[in-house]
Amino acid sequence: MGLPSVVPDSGLPGRVSIHEVGPRDGLQNESSLVPVTVKAEFIARLAAAGLERVEATSFVHPKWVPQLADAEELMPRLAGLTDRHPGLRLPVLVPNERGLDRALAHHATEIAVFASATETFARRNLNRSAAEALEMFRPVVERAAGAGVPTRGYLSMCFGDPWEGPVPLDQVVGFGVRLLELGCTELSLGDTIGVATPGQVTALLAAFDRAGVPAERLAVHFHDTYGQALANTLAALRSGVSTVDASAGGLGGCPYAKSATGNLATEDLVWMLHGLGIETGVDLRSLVATSTWMARQLGRPSPSRAVQALAGSLTADPADSADTPSA
Ligand code: HMG
Ligand code: MG
């Protein structure tokens, strides 16, 4: 299989931490229900490919996201994975205290809450105003911290909203700062519908910096609707961000934002990062094999350009070999 030529560029981090969201953001949007055994195997294969953070599922209302209603069944199937992969982190999405209770009962060690920079999306995704949603998260973050569980904060619609159009920078920074003030350890800036372009990314990160939020506390979460996710990621790396969300095979979307397509594909990201000489810890061959396997489970090809380019050159599926832990 081909690998990119390595030509480093200046002003970029030496290592990028990839926050893999395929099992959560990817599968929450599937039209058919994916069996829990397939989800568990997907996560095990992602860990075996070297991904160190894999967002496993959501403890949201099962009627709101039926695709992830099996969170309770999935969690026990992941037990043991962190023993086999020391350092592996398996965060889960939690919207409220009820979700936190469920997550803690199933031994989640990291959670994420998800706010909105716009009112319309807050109403549609969380059934509350944006400010009410923050108040819903307050006890979640506090109680999680008390249990030794760190919370990531997502902020959606940072670069544009399908109902409200452009979102003012100050509005995004304001909600982002409030999420961090709740006690979130990291803030992931979501381009939920994939409309951002690189200049916008640079401008938003500069606005956060002016507000006293350094790039080290930020992650970027780009959906790839307009093919801009990789360019936007490079802009974020140049601004000092070194945590990037991506979804194996480019799976994904948001069931409450119809114009959202899949996330930046992890393989496309890894190809670029490795070409730039940036470490990720990911074995690209094994990852492509995983997404090829997952595409077979879903019955359609991966939209990832790197998967499409590389899948044919795989002579065997290394994820089928004996050294890959089964879920
Ligand atoms: P609600 O209807 O306002 O809930 O939904 P409620 O608080 O009024 O409670 C109503 C009933 O639901 C109660 O039961 C609760 O116990 C129950 P009753 O007393 O009537 O029998 N309930 C729950 N049950 C199980 N688990 C729970 C839960 N919560 C309440 N967690 C709620 C409010 C937040 C729950 C709902 O709006 C929801 O689940 N929304 C989730 C939507 C979602 O998952 N969207 C996709 C993820 S976000 C995303 O993808 C964006 C991101 O990727 C970043 C980006 O791209 O920008 C992160
Ligand atoms: Mg998303």
Side-chain angles (χ1 to χ4, degrees):
M1 176 175 97
L3 291 172
S5 300
V6 179
V7 182
D9 204 355
S10 57
L12 296 172
R15 183 177 173 92
V16 161
S17 172
I18 299 178
H19 187 103
E20 169 62 46
V21 296
R24 194 279 303 170
D25 208 339
L27 298 186
Q28 76 182 8
N29 210 39
E30 279 302 310
S31 48
S32 59
L33 294 183
V34 176
V36 69
T37 48
V38 171
K39 292 176 178 174
E41 185 164 351
F42 185 35
I43 293 168
R45 286 175 183 246
L46 291 169
L51 287 152
E52 290 166 349
R53 294 185 188 202
V54 183
E55 204 164 272
T57 186
S58 286
F59 287 93
V60 298
H61 196 297
K63 285 197 182 133
W64 280 65
V65 182
Q67 294 88 340
L68 302 183
D70 57 4
E72 270 88 354
E73 282 176 74
L74 177 65
M75 293 297 276
R77 291 170 191 267
L78 305 181
L81 259 191
T82 45
D83 295 336
R84 287 202 287 275
H85 302 284
L88 174 66
R89 297 159 59 181
L90 295 169
V92 297
L93 231 58
V94 162
N96 53 15
E97 289 196 89
R98 173 89 180 90
L100 180 67
D101 291 339
R102 293 172 57 207
L104 292 179
H106 287 83
H107 313 293
T109 52
E110 278 188 52
I111 64 162
V113 294
F114 46 105
S116 172
T118 66
E119 289 303 328
T120 313
F121 188 61
R123 288 262 169 228
R124 287 181 176 252
N125 200 43
L126 294 160
N127 199 26
R128 297 158 161 72
S129 73
E132 285 165 351
L134 289 179
E135 287 315 310
M136 178 168 73
F137 302 145
R138 186 182 297 283
V140 174
V141 182
E142 277 173 18
R143 282 184 49 208
V149 170
T151 303
R152 162 183 251 225
Y154 277 104
L155 188 62
S156 288
M157 302 297 174
C158 291
F159 300 94
D161 174 288
W163 302 281
E164 298 182 21
V167 186
L169 281 186
D170 289 356
Q171 191 172 314
V172 178
V173 173
F175 280 114
V177 167
R178 286 167 71 185
L179 257 182
L180 287 170
E181 284 171 355
L182 289 182
C184 294
T185 50
E186 176 176 87
L187 175 64
S188 176
L189 303 174
D191 183 13
T192 319
I193 54 168
V195 290
T197 49
Q200 242 185 314
V201 174
T202 308
L204 182 62
L205 293 170
F208 270 105
D209 191 57
R210 285 195 299 277
V213 180
E216 297 78 60
R217 294 200 70 189
L218 298 173
V220 286
H221 179 104
F222 295 119
H223 286 260
D224 204 21
T225 319
Y226 290 86
Q228 306 297 299
L230 207 48
N232 291 336
T233 300
L234 188 56
L237 298 180
R238 290 202 188 289
S239 296
V241 170
S242 61
T243 302
V244 178
D245 299 4
S247 170
L251 294 169
C254 176
Y256 293 98
K258 288 301 169 210
S259 37
T261 61
N263 294 83
L264 168 62
T266 314
E267 292 83 356
D268 299 12
L269 173 65
V270 169
W271 180 274
M272 181 183 79
L273 295 176
H274 288 184
L276 286 163
I278 297 172
E279 279 180 40
T280 64
V282 173
D283 180 303
L284 185 55
R285 177 188 164 86
S286 173
L287 182 58
V288 169
T290 295
S291 289
T292 308
W293 169 84
M294 194 62 203
R296 279 202 304 272
Q297 309 304 312
L298 298 174
R300 59 183 155 70
S302 160
S304 159
R305 304 298 290 268
V307 171
Q308 288 167 19
L310 295 171
S313 64
L314 288 173
T315 50
D317 182 344
D320 286 339
S321 71
D323 61 70
T324 302
S326 58

